[in-house]
Amino acid sequence: LSWNALRCGVGVQVEGILFAFVTTQQVSSRSPFPAEPLTMKTVAVAVAALAGSAHAFAPASTGAARTSALAMSDITPGYEDMVGIDVETGKKFFDPWGLSQYIPAKWAREAELANGRSAMLATVGWFWPAKFGLFDSTDVTTLDPIKAIGEADPQWWAQFIIFCGTIEAIKYRGALEGKSYTGNGEPVVDYMKMYPKEEEARRRMELRELKNGRLAMIGIASFASAYFIPGSVPGL
């Protein structure tokens, strides 16, 4: 595997682990985000890591037709034709830390999508048990979504890691066949044939996915902050 593919794969596994354990849990009836003591320093590092994934890989453009209206000097070379710029950033290239100078555009988009897709699953998994209940389980008994990570059977974790590896292998094989899992080409997986044929429609779908993924990364970071630092997130 290429180094870029390997790095992206590791990102998927780390974020995927979060989804895996929260989907098996039910949060406390007293509060959907029970408190758990932890040092402020540790929490700050964890939240910064989550927020950084959304912050660092946000830049990109909505396409060649729209980038013509932007000052090209403000966009890092390699990012010009990528979907991503919209009203949230004032139709401007958003990279206040200048990270795009050091991160290849292709890898940035792969990492952003991998983290965004995992965060969407993790966000659903966090609140799903509280609203719809648990799957039958004999090993996980806690109502705490974080403590449940230690209760899951090791055999389950092994199966999950193998599953994640299988997904990454499918993505890598598809890439070798000229397909794409980041847009701008025929998709690696599209069993329901929902990916449009028209370029403009594809751009709209890709932009919607990016926006949902970015929002989910902020969302799951907020859930984690509210869990470890009660009262840190208004409304949670």
Side-chain angles (χ1 to χ4, degrees):
L1 299 179
S2 68
W3 174 236
N4 284 344
L6 179 60
R7 289 187 295 178
C8 186
V10 171
V12 170
Q13 311 312 329
V14 172
E15 289 285 349
I17 291 298
L18 179 60
F19 161 65
F21 75 79
V22 297
T23 52
T24 62
Q25 311 315 314
Q26 180 176 18
V27 293
S28 171
S29 58
R30 176 179 59 82
S31 170
F33 307 104
E36 178 73 12
L38 194 70
T39 64
M40 182 69 72
K41 180 178 179 181
T42 303
V43 172
V45 172
V47 172
L50 281 169
S53 63
H55 195 193
F57 306 124
S61 161
T62 55
R66 297 184 183 180
T67 45
S68 61
L70 300 170
M72 298 303 292
S73 59
D74 294 336
I75 301 180
T76 303
Y79 286 78
E80 300 93 338
D81 294 326
M82 293 171 64
V83 174
I85 290 179
D86 207 50
V87 294
E88 294 84 0
T89 59
K91 298 286 186 177
K92 296 180 180 180
F93 184 74
F94 184 74
D95 184 23
W97 290 353
L99 298 179
S100 61
Q101 300 289 335
Y102 311 99
I103 302 174
K106 181 178 182 295
W107 184 80
R109 179 46 46 88
E110 290 174 349
E112 180 178 24
L113 282 173
N115 283 277
R117 290 164 179 169
S118 297
M120 286 188 279
L121 293 172
T123 300
V124 173
W126 188 283
F127 69 77
W128 182 278
K131 300 296 182 182
F132 303 101
L134 295 169
F135 296 108
D136 290 336
S137 175
T138 57
D139 55 332
V140 178
T141 58
T142 180
L143 297 177
D144 189 308
I146 300 300
K147 290 181 179 178
I149 191 171
E151 291 192 357
D153 191 283
Q155 180 179 339
W156 182 91
W157 282 109
Q159 293 173 350
F160 176 71
I161 292 172
I162 292 173
F163 173 76
C164 289
T166 301
I167 296 299
E168 290 301 307
I170 292 173
K171 289 167 56 179
Y172 181 69
R173 183 182 65 182
L176 291 179
E177 295 172 350
K179 298 179 181 180
S180 174
Y181 51 89
T182 61
N184 295 324
E186 292 304 311
V188 171
V189 176
D190 185 22
Y191 298 126
M192 301 181 68
K193 306 299 181 184
M194 297 181 65
Y195 195 56
K197 298 296 183 183
E198 300 77 17
E199 182 63 23
E200 187 63 24
R202 287 184 172 187
R203 290 274 176 166
R204 288 196 300 268
M205 177 176 282
E206 292 165 9
L207 182 60
R208 286 197 297 267
E209 181 184 26
L210 276 173
K211 287 188 176 186
N212 280 285
R214 291 167 179 174
L215 181 62
M217 286 188 279
I218 295 173
I220 196 62
S222 299
F223 292 163
S225 296
Y227 178 92
F228 290 115
I229 313 176
S232 61
V233 181
L236 295 182

